[in-house]
Each structure stands twice: as C-alpha cells, then as structure tokens.
Amino acid sequence: MKLTDFEKIKALYKLGKNLTLSDIQILIKSAKTKSFLPGEFLIKEGEIKKEIFLIKKGLVRTYKVNDKGDEITTLIRYENQVIASPDIIFFNKPSEFYFEAFEPTEVIYMDYDVLQKLIDSNPKLEANRKFFLHNILKDLLKRVDSFVLLSPEERYLEFIKTHPDIINRIPNKHIANLLGITPVSLSRIRKRIVTKNK
Amino acid sequence: MKLTDFEKIKALYKLGKNLTLSDIQILIKSAKTKSFLPGEFLIKEGEIKKEIFLIKKGLVRTYKVNDKGDEITTLIRYENQVIASPDIIFFNKPSEFYFEAFEPTEVIYMDYDVLQKLIDSNPKLEANRKFFLHNILKDLLKRVDSFVLLSPEERYLEFIKTHPDIINRIPNKHIANLLGITPVSLSRIRKRIVTKNK
DNA sequence: CGAGGCCTTGACCGCGGTCAATGCCCGTGG
DNA sequence: CCACGGGCATTGACCGCGGTCAAGGCCTCG
C-alpha cells in the first residue's frame, strides 16, 4: 500500500507543531511508509532502529518480558498516535520493549536523527525537539499516577473512558496486563461495574 | 554557610559528564548556594523557578497534593543527588510538586537555561543536555516498574536495599506513602520481614 | 469434530485498607 | 520538674479485593 504525498503531509503535521511547508518537504524525503501484519514487530527487543512511527491505521501493543518470562504490556497505541522506543531514542541503547502489530497496521516512520538535524538547522523549531520527550514523559507520569492513586477498578474505568473503542480490538487479557491485574480480576471488575449500574 | 569554589567545582562535576575546566568556570559564576531549614521549601506548588539543585547536605522530600487534599510523596533525595521539578524544566509550567527540606539542607543551584546555553555554545556537551532528562526518565521508569511488577512488600525491600540509611532520617509514614501504602501496612510488612528472617 | 485460546465463575487465601486503642517519645508550659 | 498534648508507630479486629487454581462454556480454525 502506498500513501500519497498529501497523506504524508497530513500525517507529518501531527508530528510537531510549527512545521512550515519547506520543513515538511525536507521531512517527506526521509519519511517512509511500511505495513505490518498482525503478529509482526515494528521493533523487537534488542534492536536499535532509531525510528519514530506514526500509526496511520491499525493497533500496536508494546510489551516487555520480565525475569520470569511473563509479558508485561505497557502501552497500546493506534491511529494517529506516535510510537517510539524510549530506550533507543533517549538512551541510545537497544530496546527492552517489543512493538507488536496487533491488527494489519500501516505506519509512516522516519529516522529520529534526521528530525533532530532538521530542528538543529531551524532554531524556531526547538519546541519540536521536546515534543517526543514530552509525549513520552506525560505518558509515564500519567501511568505512575494511575498506579499510585487509583485502584485497579478505577484504572479500568479510566481506561475505557479514554479509549472507549479499544476494548473491542484487543483481548481483555492484554488490557488486564496493562492495568497491572490478572484477566480473572478484570472479569470480576467488569461484572461489579455492570451490577453497580443497576 | 559559604562553599568554597573548590567545593563548587567538585559538586558541579557531578552535574554532567565531560565538563572541561573552562566550562566549569562559566558554570561557577551562575551557580549559587543556599541553605534551608527543616520545613522550608526549595520550590512550592505553583512556582516557576527554573532551577536545578544539587543537594550537598540534608534531605528533601518531594510531594504533591491530590484532589482529596492528601500529600503524595513521590521522591526522597539527599546528599549528592540532583533534584528539579519536571513540570518546570520540561514543560515550562508551574510545579505541581512541593520540594520540602526535611533536615537542615544545603544546596548548590543554578538556572537551567544557563546550563542549556552553555551546552548550545559547546556542541561537544550535547550529551549533557540529556543528562537531566535521562536522570528523571530513569527514575520514572523505575517507579512505574516497581509499582507494576512488585508487591508493596517487595517495594519496601527494594527501597531499604537502595536507600539503607534513609529509614532513620525520615518518618515511616512518608516512606509508606512513597511506596503507595499506608503506615499501618508498612508496620505489618516490617513485622513480617523480621519474623521471616528467624 | 477436536483442539486451543479466551472469558467467566466458584472456592479459598492472604494482604492491604480502615478504624480504633494503646504506648512511646519529645517538646512545651504550668 | 512534672504533667499534658501531639505526632508517630504498633497492634488487633474486621472487611473487601485481587491472586491462584480449577472447572466449564464459547468461539474459531484446521
């Protein structure tokens, strides 16, 4: 599948604010598109592809594997969201996360260093340098808060409020894992909620 | 209390890697020292002092106040550790955290923008730009992991392993709060641990 | 039709929250 | 110098929730 330049431009617009047309023209040369089938990986653990992805279509699950061999889902992202490995981008070391396409997924992606250089050559775009950092930082802060301040039940309610459509696109066991509970508990939480609302 | 330039130099060395003597000379002009009494605040909620602190002596508790008015302790830092408000440094908005000196505390501090400018003028120091980001990011990632992967009891064991001396310097209720549990539970966890080791 | 993956449900357990009582330490004022 | 009060840690009683294990049902796919 091939995206038109116009679609690319629209997509790149979401990558950062204040991009001028000439900025986008530079970006567009290095921005590529790619498709993944369910079960394929955008990035695997141990890889150092310094790329940032914008999901045009589909759904990506991010997880890591802990000492015991369990998968820990840390993030679920879908259309019009940015995804990248913090290990690679920030620490310049191999990713500890897997990024797995869960549906047929189409992404626009580009090299992070290219974006950095563009910003270096255009100080007016300095704000964009922080764009991805902030993006990930906010997610992290939010995730910490949700674990410290909320009960599992409240976390679930928060999740379906901010991602109402996602519960139909991914098995509950991954959502449970993301929320830090077992699928069994999630099932009971769901049951509690429906009986409460009567 | 006044720190000598030599002490400042030693301290600044910890702020970043690859600093040359001339870099440090520039830094030293903008680095100031300050003392706080127990109960005084390095930064209060709502302030925008764009400063980074290096704790020379003493102990600082970082907390925020949630909707219900409870204090949530998020960080405890002491000698030779860096402390700064992520809200101010990264998002350029008022701090949502209080930074409270818990003991008589002496810090070296400087304006974050000054450090940024120094780095801008010396590309070789680019690595330092990320130094603070990484510092805070790592803490955040570690905190997420500890909440997702560990039980309260395991979190406490981890805490006393990495901060063995701190339990004598701050009331248990703040440690409990930092670990996301109540002081009552912490007390029982401590009891369980000692009986286990017999 | 059988196998595997997933969700649900029941039974049981252990831990953390809550409330309340008690004891300890320490600083302050009579 | 002692008495009182406040802050904190501990402990007991009780409860509810989440984990674990196991069984059963449903769906899909080969």
Side-chain angles (χ1 to χ4, degrees):
Chain A
M1 177 267 190
K2 282 249 168 208
L3 288 173
T4 65
D5 276 2
F6 179 66
E7 285 173 309
K8 276 193 188 176
I9 289 173
K10 277 201 304 179
L12 288 168
Y13 228 80
K14 300 211 164 82
L15 281 182
K17 291 128 198 207
N18 309 322
L19 291 182
T20 67
L21 264 183
S22 68
D23 296 329
I24 291 181
Q25 279 172 350
I26 298 172
L27 280 174
I28 224 165
K29 286 181 191 151
S30 58
K32 299 167 192 160
T33 63
K34 201 165 179 181
S35 294
F36 298 90
L37 292 175
E40 290 183 337
F41 292 92
L42 284 68
I43 298 177
K44 279 189 188 177
E45 184 191 18
E47 291 182 346
I48 328 188
K49 293 179 192 157
K50 206 166 183 175
E51 292 163 349
I52 47 178
F53 300 86
L54 177 71
I55 303 173
K56 279 305 296 169
K57 195 169 179 313
L59 188 148
V60 175
R61 177 176 75 104
T62 302
Y63 67 90
K64 64 175 155 184
V65 180
N66 73 3
D67 311 335
K68 298 173 203 140
D70 309 319
E71 295 182 1
I72 313 289
T73 299
T74 57
L75 197 63
I76 293 172
R77 304 225 110 172
Y78 43 93
E79 283 81 13
N80 296 321
Q81 294 184 327
V82 174
I83 201 165
S85 173
D87 300 310
I88 300 174
I89 301 294
F90 301 138
F91 304 135
N92 209 27
K93 65 177 194 184
S95 177
E96 70 171 321
F97 298 98
Y98 291 88
F99 295 79
E100 180 192 11
F102 213 81
E103 300 173 353
T105 297
E106 293 159 13
V107 300
I108 299 176
Y109 70 102
M110 60 179 301
D111 192 276
Y112 185 64
D113 289 331
V114 171
L115 180 67
Q116 289 284 7
K117 272 180 203 143
L118 172 68
I119 292 168
D120 284 341
S121 67
N122 190 343
K124 191 168 61 80
L125 298 177
E126 177 57 34
N128 290 280
R129 188 193 301 282
K130 293 176 181 166
F131 179 78
F132 298 101
L133 278 173
H134 290 190
N135 213 300
I136 292 183
L137 269 176
K138 275 182 191 161
D139 278 357
L140 276 175
L141 286 165
K142 199 178 155 194
R143 193 163 156 79
V144 173
D145 275 2
S146 77
F147 273 93
V148 176
L149 301 174
L150 305 180
S151 67
E153 179 166 339
E154 290 169 322
R155 278 205 290 285
Y156 176 67
L157 289 171
E158 177 72 21
F159 180 83
I160 54 176
K161 203 167 79 181
T162 50
H163 310 280
D165 43 332
I166 293 310
I167 39 176
N168 302 315
R169 294 170 65 179
I170 195 163
N172 279 334
K173 66 168 191 165
H174 289 132
I175 295 175
N177 196 298
L178 183 69
L179 299 176
I181 57 177
T182 61
V184 181
S185 280
L186 178 56
S187 177
R188 282 189 290 234
I189 286 172
R190 289 155 60 88
K191 193 181 180 183
R192 269 209 302 275
I193 290 169
V194 295
T195 56
K196 260 183 200 168
N197 290 345
K198 286 188 182 169
Chain B
M1 176 266 190
K2 281 249 167 207
L3 288 172
T4 65
D5 275 4
F6 180 65
E7 285 172 311
K8 276 195 189 176
I9 288 173
K10 276 201 305 179
L12 288 168
Y13 228 82
K14 300 211 164 80
L15 282 181
K17 291 129 198 206
N18 307 323
L19 291 182
T20 66
L21 263 185
S22 68
D23 296 329
I24 291 180
Q25 279 171 350
I26 298 172
L27 280 173
I28 224 165
K29 285 181 193 151
S30 57
K32 298 167 193 159
T33 64
K34 201 166 180 180
S35 295
F36 298 89
L37 292 175
E40 290 184 336
F41 293 92
L42 284 69
I43 298 176
K44 280 189 187 177
E45 184 191 18
E47 292 182 346
I48 328 187
K49 292 181 193 157
K50 207 164 183 177
E51 292 163 347
I52 47 177
F53 300 87
L54 177 71
I55 302 174
K56 279 305 297 170
K57 192 167 181 315
L59 188 148
V60 176
R61 176 175 77 103
T62 301
Y63 67 92
K64 62 175 155 185
V65 179
N66 72 2
D67 311 335
K68 298 173 205 141
D70 309 318
E71 294 181 2
I72 314 290
T73 299
T74 57
L75 198 63
I76 292 172
R77 303 227 110 171
Y78 42 93
E79 283 81 13
N80 295 323
Q81 294 184 327
V82 174
I83 201 166
S85 172
D87 300 310
I88 299 176
I89 301 294
F90 300 138
F91 304 136
N92 209 27
K93 66 177 192 185
S95 177
E96 69 172 323
F97 298 99
Y98 291 89
F99 296 79
E100 180 192 11
F102 213 81
E103 302 172 351
T105 297
E106 292 159 13
V107 300
I108 298 176
Y109 70 103
M110 60 178 300
D111 192 276
Y112 185 64
D113 289 331
V114 172
L115 180 67
Q116 289 284 6
K117 271 180 204 145
L118 172 70
I119 292 168
D120 284 341
S121 68
N122 190 343
K124 191 167 62 77
L125 299 177
E126 177 56 34
N128 291 280
R129 188 193 302 282
K130 292 177 183 164
F131 178 77
F132 297 101
L133 278 173
H134 290 188
N135 212 300
I136 292 183
L137 268 175
K138 274 182 191 160
D139 278 356
L140 276 174
L141 285 165
K142 198 178 157 194
R143 193 163 158 80
V144 173
D145 276 3
S146 78
F147 272 93
V148 176
L149 301 174
L150 305 179
S151 67
E153 178 166 341
E154 291 168 321
R155 277 203 292 284
Y156 176 68
L157 289 170
E158 177 72 21
F159 179 84
I160 55 176
K161 203 167 78 182
T162 49
H163 310 279
D165 43 333
I166 293 308
I167 38 175
N168 303 315
R169 294 171 64 180
I170 196 164
N172 279 334
K173 65 168 191 164
H174 289 132
I175 296 174
N177 195 298
L178 183 70
L179 299 175
I181 57 177
T182 62
V184 181
S185 281
L186 179 56
S187 176
R188 284 190 289 236
I189 286 171
R190 289 156 59 88
K191 192 179 180 184
R192 270 209 302 275
I193 290 168
V194 294
T195 57
K196 259 184 198 166
N197 290 344
K198 286 189 182 169

